[in-house]
Amino acid sequence: MVADLTADALAKDSNLAEFAGRVSDSGEGRWTIKAAIDEGVPAPVLTTALYERFSSRGDADFQDKLLRPCVMYSAGIWRKREVRATR
């Protein structure tokens, strides 16, 4: 699915000019990771995702721009924009 979202975003604009490359965090990932630590449960994917969000706060590298459409899609933001655009 991530590969499909990336391919769709690149097909629409190969420079990904629409995306800033910055991905904010709501705090839910931090809370989940803290809970995993407290319970002694490994959560490497969640931890990596949170660290990627932190690293995206620097320069808007192309790799960070690639992540943005996936985050927007998973949050339902992209779908809402596509629906509005077709009206």
Side-chain angles (χ1 to χ4, degrees):
M1 174 145 189
V2 173
D4 293 334
L5 293 172
T6 302
D8 289 346
L10 288 169
K12 290 177 183 176
D13 177 9
S14 63
N15 292 320
L16 299 175
E18 169 183 355
F19 302 104
R22 178 174 167 44
V23 180
S24 300
D25 73 285
S26 64
E28 292 177 21
R30 295 172 193 230
W31 174 84
T32 304
I33 292 166
K34 286 180 183 177
I37 291 169
D38 291 345
E39 297 297 321
V41 177
V45 173
L46 294 175
T47 305
T48 301
L50 182 63
Y51 289 152
E52 282 300 314
R53 288 174 182 258
F54 292 158
S55 71
S56 79
R57 294 177 183 174
D59 295 327
D61 296 330
F62 194 76
Q63 66 188 21
D64 294 329
K65 287 184 177 187
L66 281 174
L67 292 176
R68 187 65 181 152
C70 299
V71 171
M72 289 176 65
Y73 184 86
S74 66
I77 297 168
W78 202 349
R79 280 263 187 243
K80 291 174 190 171
R81 286 189 352 198
E82 287 178 343
V83 169
R84 282 194 302 256
T86 59
R87 289 183 184 167

